[in-house]
Amino acid sequence: MLASLAFFGVFVCLWVGQREEGYYLHWAAGSLIYAATIPAFNHLSSHTPLQDGVLYALLSVSTHMVLTGLRRFDGLPPFSPWLLLPILFSGVGYAGPALLYGPDSAPCRIGGTCGSALAMSIVGGTLVFGRAPQPSRGRRIAGAALLAYIPGFLAAILAEAFGRAAVNMAAVIPLVSDQLLLAVLNLGLIAMPGERAQAGLREAALRDPLTGAWNRAGLGVIAARLVVLQPERRLLDRLYRRRGQGGRGHCPEAGTDGAAHRQGTAVIAFDVDHFKAINDRHGHAVGDRVLAALAAVARDLLPEPGAFLVRLGGDEFAMVLPDKNLAEARWLADEIRQAIRLTPDLPAWTISLGVAAVEPGDTDLSAAIERADRSLYRAKAEGRDRAAA
């Protein structure tokens, strides 16, 4: 109880310092409800099925406040109607048998404990196995702490069911579990905002602040997963030749571009025609707006999943397109070129684009980007406002 009150204070203090982070209030409320409900079991002058059923429901509410806070943390509506079902199950699970067999009987304690175990399973399972916006150790730690209560609940249920409980095991075992797991649960929750802030800082270091595109550092981090090295492809080919598959002796899922399990990886390099003249004539603020508009148009046309946009420097960008061949990339380049004509409130401007593909022997994207850059300059030499491949 004292630990729950302490964490209630911690969550409230964190919320006071960051009022926009409302999930702290959910977790604070869960700690306060739990701290108030546990002593209420012992201090009630009389135990009726309704009173104790409400207390078991409140225990479930305190657990589900972890989940509502998590939903708020993830930017979702915190409350959902289905959350009432396990709470009602906890209350009715105790009150129903209590009406039949009497308050504090083994059947009603089993029913209430089953409700608590269900709440722990739902919330803990969501934390550990649910889809998260980004990986989080704190989330998994908090979920694992909740799931670790389940063996204790099962032991209490078995002890009550077989009449081997000298004391109220449905109350004793969870309280013992609290000594081991309550701090782990709350520390996991406290770690989550810090993890998200760190992830945001890491991503900010890899992003161009003006356009939101990846910068060169970001390109280096994410490009490696797009290209399978040529020796690995040769190993796949040898394996398929030994099995007599693949027609010509090649892995059937490997293309001729050096990227196994992909049709190909194409690159579009592009920049703004006469960008210096735009800055000189209209000012650097307008030049920045042109770059931001170009990135926005390119991002809107970016095929998903896996494709990404990079600002290489100045007014030059590159779009990396997994699973696209040269013809598809050339078509997309023309789409970008046409789409920028529709950007409002900017002086007339055009772009030139160069298209290339990852080729056999490429171990990273730098060679393909260089070839796309050469195509870009060929497009400029041919008159600008066009794409070349």
Side-chain angles (χ1 to χ4, degrees):
M1 182 183 72
L2 293 178
S4 293
L5 286 175
F7 279 111
F8 163 74
V10 169
F11 287 129
V12 169
C13 289
L14 291 172
W15 174 77
V16 169
Q18 305 173 70
R19 294 292 180 94
E20 70 280 3
E21 309 295 349
Y23 50 84
Y24 283 128
L25 289 181
H26 289 256
W27 295 338
S31 295
L32 182 62
I33 292 170
Y34 188 77
T37 302
I38 292 299
F41 278 101
N42 296 324
H43 289 86
L44 286 176
S45 57
S46 62
H47 288 269
T48 66
L50 178 60
Q51 289 174 331
D52 285 349
V54 169
L55 292 178
Y56 271 97
L58 286 174
L59 288 178
S60 184
V61 169
S62 70
T63 303
H64 278 80
M65 293 305 291
V66 173
L67 182 55
T68 60
L70 175 72
R71 290 171 61 89
R72 180 75 179 269
F73 181 83
D74 289 341
L76 300 173
F79 300 103
S80 182
W82 70 267
L83 293 175
L84 294 174
L85 296 178
I87 295 172
L88 291 174
F89 181 83
S90 296
V92 174
Y94 181 92
L99 290 172
L100 296 174
Y101 301 99
D104 207 33
S105 61
C108 62
R109 290 199 296 262
I110 290 173
T113 303
C114 286
S116 298
L118 176 63
M120 293 285 187
S121 299
I122 291 172
V123 179
T126 302
L127 284 162
V128 174
F129 304 110
R131 181 179 298 178
Q134 59 191 28
S136 170
R137 291 182 180 177
R139 181 188 297 246
R140 292 194 295 270
I141 288 171
L146 286 172
L147 293 177
Y149 277 89
I150 305 303
F153 284 131
L154 294 178
I157 290 170
L158 291 174
E160 295 284 354
F162 291 100
R164 297 179 179 177
V167 295
N168 185 347
M169 299 299 291
V172 171
I173 292 182
L175 289 176
V176 173
S177 299
D178 280 346
Q179 307 306 310
L180 301 172
L181 300 173
L182 191 61
V184 177
L185 163 65
N186 287 295
L187 290 175
L189 296 176
I190 290 171
M192 288 169 52
E195 288 181 316
R196 183 166 69 178
Q198 288 182 343
L201 289 173
R202 285 194 296 268
E203 177 158 333
L206 303 176
R207 294 276 187 181
D208 170 52
L210 174 63
T211 64
W214 297 101
N215 57 26
R216 283 188 174 271
L219 173 64
V221 169
I222 61 180
R225 58 187 176 218
L226 293 178
V227 181
V228 178
L229 301 184
Q230 187 71 6
E232 297 178 30
R233 181 177 172 226
R234 289 198 294 268
L235 175 60
L236 289 172
D237 287 344
R238 286 199 299 270
L239 291 174
Y240 271 80
R241 280 198 296 271
R242 290 174 185 172
R243 294 169 58 184
Q245 298 180 9
R248 295 177 298 168
H250 290 283
C251 170
E253 294 179 325
T256 59
D257 57 5
H261 304 290
R262 296 183 182 274
Q263 295 178 18
T265 298
V267 176
I268 303 173
F270 53 98
D271 68 9
V272 180
D273 296 328
H274 302 298
F275 183 64
K276 184 177 184 301
I278 294 175
N279 278 332
D280 292 342
R281 184 176 304 171
H282 301 283
H284 289 281
V286 172
D288 287 347
R289 288 167 53 202
V290 167
L291 294 179
L294 174 56
V297 168
R299 196 160 38 241
D300 287 342
L301 294 173
L302 200 67
E304 294 290 346
F308 58 92
L309 178 69
V310 184
R311 185 181 181 188
L312 298 175
D315 63 318
E316 187 169 358
F317 294 81
M319 184 181 286
V320 181
L321 308 168
D323 304 316
K324 299 295 181 185
N325 56 35
L326 275 176
E328 292 170 318
R330 176 63 183 268
W331 177 86
L332 180 59
D334 283 327
E335 288 290 301
I336 297 171
R337 187 174 62 86
Q338 297 294 334
I340 62 111
R341 301 178 189 275
L342 303 177
T343 53
D345 303 322
L346 288 173
W349 55 288
T350 61
I351 60 173
S352 298
L353 308 95
V355 182
V358 174
E359 295 181 354
D362 290 350
T363 58
D364 56 33
L365 289 174
S366 59
I369 292 174
E370 184 177 348
R371 289 191 292 272
D373 200 49
R374 289 199 296 267
S375 296
L376 164 62
Y377 281 94
R378 188 166 70 252
K380 287 185 177 294
E382 294 172 357
R384 294 185 168 84
D385 190 19
R386 66 193 64 206

